[in-house]
Amino acid sequence: MAQTKYIFVTGGVSSSLGKGIIAASLAKLLQARGYRTTIQKLDPYINVDPGTLNPYEHGECFVTEDGAETDLDLGHYERFLNVNTSQANNVTTGKIYQSVIEKERRGEFLGKTVQVVPHITNEIKERIQILGKSGDYDIVLTEIGGTVGDIESLPYIEAVRQLKWDLGEHNSLVIHLTLIPYLSAAKELKTKPTQHSVKTLMESGINADILVCRTEHELSDEIRRKLAQFCNVKQEAVIQSIDASTIYDVPNLMLEEGLDTITLKKLNLPDDTPPDLTQWNQFLQRHKNPTAEVTIGLIGKYVELQDSYKSILESFIHAGAENEVKVTIKSIHSEFLDVDHQNSVINSLDGILVAPGFGERGIEGKIEAVRYARENKLPFFGICLGMQMAVIEYARNVLNLKDANSTEMDESTIDPVIDIMENQKNITQMGGTMRLGAWDCELKEGSLIEKVYGKTQISERHRHRYEYNYAYQEQLEAAGLISSGVNPQTKLVEVVELKDHPWFIGVQYHPEYKSTVATPHPLFIDFIRAAKVFSQKRK
């Protein structure tokens, strides 16, 4: 079996330069040449996983098929590569230390003093190689979070230095992503921050093999020469990454710059098959040339930060391209949505999506939005908490259970239409009560949701704690809120829809986690189709 090759992507100068997008774009190009490729993310924070992080801190938490709560970059990896990631694709410092401490408690280190080198670094090296040793991949890309020089990332950089030595020549390379700032006063691009960043990496014993330079202006040959000379890389290995109108342009930009060619050359791999990006470019073509436009209201409580709903926003891009529609998203903060305000805001929309979330802030605004969509036949899509809001709204305004609520918002509600199920009640640890990862769902024949999927058996990813309380199912069904999707093992309701409404669906799971460029999610595709119909009728 051929040796798995490893590519490490580090960042310097500033965070948020787009290491995830560069890693995903390079992986896409290598995959399009026929190499079996995957990407993992090493996060230097001490949380065990991002599951308990506020979305304002770190953007959304992405959930994999096997139920790992991971960094949002894994979402980019899946959307670009159309390959599922897993528990092994996201490693945090919290996980590393937890594992090492557990081994020490079990006596596995035979009384040795446990230290950062070699114990922590060995653990990191092991985690990096799990995917490579599975035999499923020719190339593993590893993105290291944070920036070079951070105290937190030092053990990771040291582990990479050792691993490069262990793996031998041509089996690994380091791509360093930096910023070339433009000083408007001097009207010039500055290379000094990059030089410093590369030197910091060298002080840790690592030479960058390829430099990817984020910039707002084209890099001249002179600047490339200067960077090559001062940073110890070949000139052809100085790659420009200029601001793009969409992240989906980046693979083509990296192809033009020859990032994949220089990578294969340095890894001593054949470069005789040009990348096949036919399907990718067809998607881009549709995305950039829409024939219609719809405006969707995204109603949530973290709307100030784009990254909080990253997967949902990307799913709209995929579904928009599929329908040849430009989807304009209007972010609406549910906390400030009351009856008067909402009619002026919502009546200009072609559909609303009530977003997932935790806690009671902004709940009444979401319920009002659901009521408006139900009464005015506006296409409505509720995800997770959004679905629960639809159940509460229906119970309150149609069944007249005026105090209906979720026990998450009001523990003493007399009508807990949303509740924690009995078998979850005795779990005390935050991460433990969640229903996570892929679960099966059976769809009712003849329902709208069955028509959307075109089948009755589906599997979708979950991330929630509270459930539709089946004690109320009979009453709600009799009043017209259909339970059209049920989990076959637990009998928990997963999907609700309305009979006499053009498009009203609430799902307990997170369809946005499974939408990719190659396979846009059917629910998003159909929701945008319904919004397009609504928009045309209104005009």
Side-chain angles (χ1 to χ4, degrees):
M1 195 174 84
Q3 157 96 41
T4 303
K5 309 276 185 175
Y6 292 87
I7 298 171
F8 301 101
V9 182
T10 60
V13 184
S14 157
S15 59
S16 302
L17 290 181
K19 287 194 297 290
I21 301 296
I22 292 295
S25 299
L26 175 56
K28 179 79 221 163
L29 293 175
L30 296 171
Q31 184 195 51
R33 286 171 173 272
Y35 291 103
R36 297 171 307 154
T37 314
T38 188
I39 321 178
Q40 63 182 173
K41 173 84 189 273
L42 307 183
D43 271 311
Y45 51 72
I46 298 172
N47 303 58
V48 172
D49 61 44
T52 54
L53 283 174
N54 182 323
Y56 288 132
E57 288 280 322
H58 211 72
E60 78 169 5
C61 170
F62 184 82
V63 177
T64 58
E65 283 286 295
D66 61 353
E69 293 182 285
T70 68
D71 184 80
L72 64 80
D73 275 325
L74 270 75
H76 289 311
Y77 307 161
E78 290 202 10
R79 287 188 283 274
F80 274 58
L81 297 179
N82 203 33
V83 172
N84 286 337
T85 54
S86 70
Q87 202 91 35
N89 292 71
N90 195 194
V91 178
T92 64
T93 296
K95 275 188 192 145
I96 296 288
Y97 274 85
Q98 192 178 42
S99 171
V100 169
I101 289 166
E102 281 167 3
K103 285 178 182 171
E104 184 270 334
R105 294 287 81 187
R106 289 196 299 267
E108 285 184 30
F109 299 124
L110 307 175
K112 285 253 186 278
T113 307
V114 180
Q115 293 172 292
V116 173
V117 182
H119 301 97
I120 297 297
T121 47
N122 282 351
E123 184 75 25
I124 293 169
K125 280 155 65 178
E126 259 170 55
R127 297 294 180 105
I128 289 173
Q129 294 177 92
I130 285 174
L131 291 162
K133 286 178 173 166
S134 67
D136 297 333
Y137 304 104
D138 306 314
I139 302 171
V140 176
L141 283 91
T142 302
E143 178 196 342
I144 297 169
T147 39
V148 169
D150 293 348
I151 288 176
E152 290 96 344
S153 54
L154 285 173
Y156 291 95
I157 299 295
E158 170 58 19
V160 168
R161 184 196 66 75
Q162 292 180 23
L163 203 50
K164 272 183 75 76
W165 190 81
D166 296 343
L167 291 166
E169 246 188 311
H170 302 304
N171 289 324
S172 69
L173 65 84
V174 172
I175 295 175
H176 191 53
L177 179 68
T178 77
L179 178 68
I180 308 283
Y182 179 77
L183 292 191
S184 44
K187 296 207 170 11
E188 60 177 337
L189 289 164
K190 289 294 183 189
T191 62
K192 192 60 77 184
T194 296
Q195 294 177 41
H196 282 306
S197 181
V198 170
K199 291 228 162 60
T200 305
L201 197 56
M202 284 177 173
E203 282 165 13
S204 303
I206 294 177
N207 270 341
D209 298 285
I210 299 173
L211 273 190
V212 176
C213 306
R214 288 286 283 117
T215 172
E216 293 171 22
H217 299 268
E218 297 279 336
L219 297 185
S220 63
D221 282 348
E222 185 194 349
I223 284 184
R224 288 181 195 243
R225 255 197 312 278
K226 186 175 175 184
L227 282 165
Q229 190 181 359
F230 283 104
C231 299
N232 260 12
V233 296
K234 289 200 164 68
Q235 196 174 325
E236 65 193 63
V238 177
I239 304 289
Q240 154 185 302
S241 172
I242 203 156
D243 290 357
S245 61
T246 159
I247 56 170
Y248 299 109
D249 279 333
V250 180
N252 283 314
L253 294 173
M254 291 303 103
L255 180 65
E256 281 167 33
E257 285 285 305
L259 178 59
D260 53 333
T261 311
I262 182 86
T263 296
L264 292 171
K265 189 168 158 186
K266 286 187 175 291
L267 290 176
N268 223 356
L269 287 170
D271 173 15
D272 37 22
T273 326
D276 177 8
L277 292 171
T278 318
Q279 190 185 13
W280 187 269
N281 289 327
Q282 283 167 352
F283 154 77
L284 267 177
Q285 183 65 22
R286 287 194 304 272
H287 172 50
K288 290 184 171 183
N289 300 288
T291 56
E293 185 173 349
V294 297
T295 306
I296 301 294
L298 174 64
I299 298 174
K301 62 173 187 176
Y302 308 114
V303 292
E304 302 92 336
L305 185 71
Q306 284 283 301
D307 279 357
S308 310
Y309 301 117
K310 195 72 192 156
S311 295
I312 290 175
L313 297 175
E314 298 306 317
S315 301
F316 276 131
I317 290 175
H318 310 153
E322 194 68 19
N323 282 291
E324 295 186 356
V325 170
K326 178 180 187 216
V327 182
T328 302
I329 299 294
K330 193 168 183 177
S331 296
I332 301 167
H333 202 304
S334 52
E335 211 174 350
F336 311 120
L337 203 56
D338 54 35
V339 181
D340 311 325
H341 176 204
Q342 91 155 4
N343 292 356
S344 60
V345 175
I346 294 185
N347 62 16
S348 62
L349 302 173
D350 303 310
I352 63 168
L353 183 142
V354 177
F358 292 91
E360 61 188 312
R361 192 163 64 90
I363 288 308
E364 296 305 323
K366 287 184 175 179
I367 292 172
E368 269 310 307
V370 176
R371 185 185 62 77
Y372 182 95
R374 178 176 62 79
E375 290 175 352
N376 293 283
K377 304 277 192 265
L378 178 68
F380 164 83
F381 189 4
I383 295 180
C384 197
L385 183 68
M387 175 264 207
Q388 298 173 5
M389 294 299 104
V391 175
I392 293 170
E393 189 279 329
Y394 209 78
R396 283 185 189 179
N397 298 327
V398 180
L399 284 181
N400 275 324
L401 304 173
K402 290 299 173 204
D403 296 319
N405 214 332
S406 162
T407 48
E408 181 180 8
M409 321 309 163
D410 176 7
E411 282 184 22
S412 55
T413 173
I414 51 172
D415 283 307
V417 290
I418 304 292
D419 198 5
I420 281 193
M421 293 295 117
E422 279 310 312
N423 58 356
Q424 292 173 302
K425 285 186 177 167
N426 50 8
I427 303 176
T428 52
Q429 267 201 318
M430 258 316 241
T433 49
M434 292 274 229
R435 194 139 74 89
L436 285 166
W439 290 70
D440 292 335
C441 179
E442 257 166 35
L443 306 180
K444 203 178 224 164
E445 284 190 26
S447 62
L448 173 58
I449 190 106
E450 187 233 1
K451 204 170 96 202
V452 168
Y453 279 94
K455 53 186 176 184
T456 54
Q457 306 288 330
I458 60 164
S459 162
E460 289 282 0
R461 298 181 197 175
H462 291 66
R463 180 179 185 244
H464 61 88
R465 191 173 280 116
Y466 290 80
E467 304 282 357
Y468 176 116
N469 186 347
Y470 29 56
Y472 290 86
Q473 191 175 343
E474 220 170 284
Q475 270 173 285
L476 285 162
E477 287 241 39
L481 187 69
I482 304 158
S483 309
S484 53
V486 175
N487 178 283
Q489 290 91 33
T490 60
K491 299 296 176 240
L492 291 167
V493 174
E494 303 268 318
V495 186
V496 295
E497 61 180 67
L498 282 181
K499 223 193 244 110
D500 50 355
H501 192 291
W503 212 97
F504 187 103
I505 289 179
V507 296
Q508 183 68 293
Y509 49 80
H510 289 262
E512 71 273 23
Y513 291 147
K514 288 182 79 160
S515 186
T516 69
V517 168
T519 55
H521 197 285
L523 269 169
F524 280 89
I525 295 173
D526 209 63
F527 175 57
I528 294 303
R529 185 198 53 73
K532 184 180 170 184
V533 170
F534 183 88
S535 160
Q536 285 162 346
K537 272 191 185 153
R538 197 172 53 184
K539 282 176 185 151

